[in-house]
Amino acid sequence: SASPLVLHLRGDLGAGKTCFARGMLRALGEEGPIRSPTYGLVAEYETAGGRVIHMDLYRLRDPGELAPLGLADHLQGSLLWLVEWPERGEGG
């Protein structure tokens, strides 16, 4: 299957990254609560449009912390990845 669209959401705290992600998820049909995955780093949604992965890497101390999350396993079948603070995951 095709690779997901990956959107890097960059901006200062309070710039609206989570608000933008919430709007995208609502537009794709997600009806449940949508919170920034600040502590868990990754949230997954099965929307009417397909699977969406929402990541918030703000609290990531080291890009190596991404490896145990098995993100490659989420690639297949994902429609969209929304990544807040992507610069914190570079090199991981």
Side-chain angles (χ1 to χ4, degrees), residues 4-56:
L5 173 64
V6 178
L7 293 180
H8 289 177
L9 308 180
R10 298 178 188 267
D12 295 332
L13 283 170
K17 296 178 296 297
T18 300
C19 187
F20 179 84
R22 185 175 294 118
M24 292 288 290
L25 283 157
R26 291 282 182 237
L28 289 167
E30 178 58 42
E31 296 177 356
I34 300 169
R35 296 179 188 88
S36 183
T38 303
Y39 294 98
L41 298 181
V42 178
E44 187 173 323
Y45 299 90
E46 292 294 341
T47 73
R51 183 182 313 134
V52 178
I53 306 299
H54 181 196
M55 287 186 268
D56 182 341

